[in-house]
Amino acid sequence: MYGIFMESLVIFKLYTGLKLLLILTALSWVYLLFKEKDKRVRLLLVYAPILILALFLFPVSRKAFVAAGLDGETYYRVLWTIPMGIITAYGACRLFAAHRRIGLVIASALVILCGSYVYKSEYISRAENLYHIPDTVIKICDRITPDRPNATVTAVMPPELIHFVRQYDANIRMPYGREMLVARWDYYNAVYEAMEKPEVVNMETLLEATRADYCRYLVMAEGKRTDVPPEDAGLVLLETIDGYRIYEDPVTAQVTEQWLEYYENEEE
């Protein structure tokens, strides 16, 4: 039990960084503990956070989390339910209620000074568009998205793009997603095995897998090596966008169109 408690404590430390912003939140929490009189606010911003943290650190909670079939690596997400930012902001608003302008300046300065420049992180980059995903993904999705309303299409995407495709267009299905990128989950997918595992892709094996999953489009990086050119295997190169080649499989395309026509006739 002690070992599980220490692991949870390390997770909490990594999540918060134990930096100045956490101290700022803690100070706001202490202020609200003594000054906030509204029972509903106290329940949400004073009692609930400390209860969630206590349950998070309680070893049995993590055991129950894993026993429920959830991944222990995502246990840190329980901490998302603690509204740290809201506690800090509301505490500042209550403290400077009588001096709003100077309070805004002081609170903003404290948040800025206690925080860090987000673009220093390797995981954060400046947004290229309103969707906050790479422009390349938008161009590729717009090229293959179905013209018919509410129609879907299946496309094989390189691993580096799949996170963004599902955020941008729900009408573009993929035979595999993030689950294939986490080795410890040990998932199996025939398309992924044929597309990503070998250094040189066997086009016959790949097409057998993609056609079984009705993949109409295959998006490949220009550096992807294949035993024969995809065009010789029967694919049609539609366009090259920012270093990615978009292929259409005529065999699957024909089947897909037949299905769409059938369903449209049934609706009529």
Side-chain angles (χ1 to χ4, degrees):
M1 287 293 187
Y2 177 75
I4 297 176
F5 169 77
M6 292 305 297
E7 287 179 7
S8 298
L9 197 60
V10 169
I11 293 173
F12 177 76
K13 178 181 178 181
L14 293 174
Y15 177 79
T16 62
L18 297 184
K19 299 290 180 65
L20 296 176
L21 282 177
L22 179 62
I23 296 176
L24 202 59
T25 300
L27 291 174
S28 294
W29 182 86
V30 172
Y31 177 80
L32 294 176
L33 176 65
F34 290 101
K35 294 295 184 179
E36 183 57 51
K37 302 304 180 184
D38 189 311
K39 292 182 179 180
R40 292 173 298 179
V41 176
R42 288 183 66 83
L43 178 63
L44 181 64
L45 300 184
V46 177
Y47 301 138
I50 200 67
L51 177 61
I52 293 171
L53 181 59
L55 288 173
F56 176 82
L57 296 175
F58 189 48
V60 176
S61 298
R62 187 174 181 187
K63 281 194 169 186
F65 187 88
V66 175
L70 301 172
D71 184 6
E73 294 292 328
T74 62
Y75 186 57
Y76 71 93
R77 294 180 181 176
V78 173
L79 296 173
W80 289 356
T81 59
I82 301 178
M84 295 182 181
I86 296 177
I87 293 171
T88 304
Y90 185 76
C93 289
R94 292 282 283 110
L95 178 63
F96 296 107
H99 307 281
R100 296 181 181 179
R101 292 183 180 178
I102 188 64
L104 176 61
V105 173
I106 293 175
S108 299
L110 285 174
V111 171
I112 292 172
L113 293 174
C114 293
S116 59
Y117 189 57
V118 295
Y119 293 117
K120 286 183 178 180
S121 171
E122 62 178 303
Y123 303 108
I124 300 177
S125 59
R126 293 184 180 277
E128 298 178 19
N129 48 66
L130 293 176
Y131 297 98
H132 287 246
I133 62 177
D135 284 336
T136 300
V137 175
I138 293 177
K139 295 175 186 176
I140 293 174
C141 290
D142 287 347
R143 179 64 180 82
I144 66 176
T145 192
D147 295 329
R148 294 178 173 86
N150 301 320
T152 61
V153 68
T154 302
V156 183
M157 294 285 176
E160 65 271 19
L161 300 185
I162 60 176
H163 294 86
F164 305 111
V165 174
R166 66 179 185 172
Q167 296 176 50
Y168 179 67
D169 194 340
N171 288 327
I172 298 177
R173 295 177 60 253
M174 294 176 287
Y176 54 83
R178 175 175 173 268
E179 73 280 357
M180 299 307 302
L181 307 183
V182 183
R184 66 178 179 277
W185 290 351
D186 197 27
Y187 279 90
Y188 174 84
N189 180 279
V191 179
Y192 183 83
E193 292 290 323
M195 182 80 161
E196 300 299 334
K197 286 298 183 70
E199 292 185 6
V200 179
V201 176
N202 184 293
M203 288 304 303
E204 182 179 354
T205 303
L206 176 61
L207 288 179
E208 182 180 349
T210 57
R211 286 170 180 169
D213 220 338
Y214 300 102
C215 301
R216 180 168 182 168
Y217 298 103
L218 289 83
V219 180
M220 297 182 178
E222 286 188 300
K224 175 69 71 174
R225 298 168 58 194
T226 57
D227 60 340
V228 297
E231 294 88 339
D232 292 351
L235 300 183
V236 177
L237 178 62
L238 299 181
E239 190 175 347
T240 299
I241 297 178
D242 298 338
Y244 292 96
R245 293 176 177 171
I246 304 174
Y247 292 98
E248 182 178 31
D249 183 359
V251 175
T252 306
Q254 183 179 9
V255 174
T256 303
E257 289 298 326
Q258 289 174 349
W259 280 359
L260 290 173
E261 291 176 4
Y262 172 77
Y263 287 121
E264 287 176 353
N265 293 333
E266 284 291 310
E267 291 178 356
E268 294 176 357

